Amino acid sequence: MKPLNPLGLTSAFPSQEKWGSVWCDQDQEGDGLLALFDKLSEEKRMQRPVAFDTETTSLDPRVARVIACSFAFADGGATTLLFSDDDPVPDELEVWVEDEGAPKVLANAKYDYEVLREAWDMVLRGIVGDVMLMSQLVDDTEQFHNLDALALRHLGLKKVPTWALIGSGKDFTGWGGVPASTIALYAN
């Protein structure tokens, strides 16, 4: 299949045979968590960028709690790591987040950088791209550069709008009230 972009992503949807149905929470410290960190190590070794995103409880990074981290891989696979308030952050995640040699692509990297610094005292390193910033640079005449708009414009995919799950404006509720299984499906 011909890559859709220079990062080598060949599918907008995770492959069920690879990672698509996998999501893990901190209570499930088994194969899912180990497989995730093995996959992140493999991607670093191969120098393949990993698409990384956080889901949080607030648009303000100074007060937001991280409730999920999602990862998408060049082979089309994806997974989501869920957190509750009592969950410790796995050491392996902190090492990967702060590893300059592990290439990461984000959407709105500034927000993720700030929220990880504020919530977990981590410094996000290894950022090789920000799709929202790239979109603005490529075509500043477009009105929207969020993931909903980019998925529709470049991939022809209409995803579940983020606002439909967490609200917007005065109706914004954040991810805190969204069921874990819904967060995992949305993030993947």
Side-chain angles (χ1 to χ4, degrees):
M1 183 182 301
K2 181 180 171 196
L4 297 173
N5 62 46
L7 299 176
L9 295 177
T10 56
S11 172
F13 297 104
S15 166
Q16 291 297 328
E17 298 84 47
K18 295 179 182 172
W19 289 80
S21 61
V22 174
W23 62 276
C24 49
D25 61 31
Q26 293 294 297
D27 295 329
Q28 182 185 340
E29 288 186 18
D31 295 338
L33 201 54
L34 294 174
L36 169 61
F37 295 124
D38 286 347
K39 182 70 172 171
L40 291 173
S41 294
E42 176 189 338
E43 297 302 290
K44 175 188 173 184
R45 186 173 26 70
M46 301 300 291
Q47 283 298 287
R48 291 187 295 238
V50 173
F52 175 64
D53 193 23
T54 60
E55 306 305 340
T56 65
T57 57
S58 174
L59 297 175
D60 182 346
R62 295 169 297 175
V63 297
R65 291 186 347 268
V66 177
I67 60 169
C69 292
S70 56
F71 309 84
F73 305 99
D75 64 7
T79 193
T80 299
L81 183 58
L82 302 170
F83 296 91
S84 69
D85 287 337
D86 300 330
D87 291 332
V89 178
D91 292 339
E92 297 90 342
L93 178 60
E94 182 173 3
V95 168
W96 181 81
V97 164
E98 294 191 336
D99 189 343
E100 184 74 39
K104 302 160 191 77
V105 175
L106 293 93
N108 195 1
K110 179 182 175 185
Y111 176 81
D112 290 312
Y113 180 92
E114 290 176 357
V115 80
L116 290 168
R117 185 187 66 214
E118 293 292 329
W120 290 342
D121 197 29
M122 291 183 193
V123 177
L124 178 59
R125 294 185 176 104
I127 301 167
V128 297
D130 181 326
V131 295
M132 291 174 68
L133 182 59
M134 287 185 229
S135 174
Q136 291 171 351
L137 291 172
V138 168
D139 188 353
D140 65 353
T141 64
E142 288 288 344
Q143 183 177 2
F144 298 104
H145 300 278
N146 59 34
L147 288 181
D148 296 345
L150 293 175
L152 184 59
R153 187 165 47 246
H154 297 289
L155 303 173
L157 300 173
K158 186 167 183 164
K159 63 185 263 318
V160 173
T162 307
W163 62 262
L165 298 172
I166 63 173
S168 65
K170 66 178 178 59
D171 297 323
F172 177 78
T173 60
W175 289 99
V178 179
S181 58
T182 302
I183 295 170
L185 289 172
Y186 169 84
N188 283 347

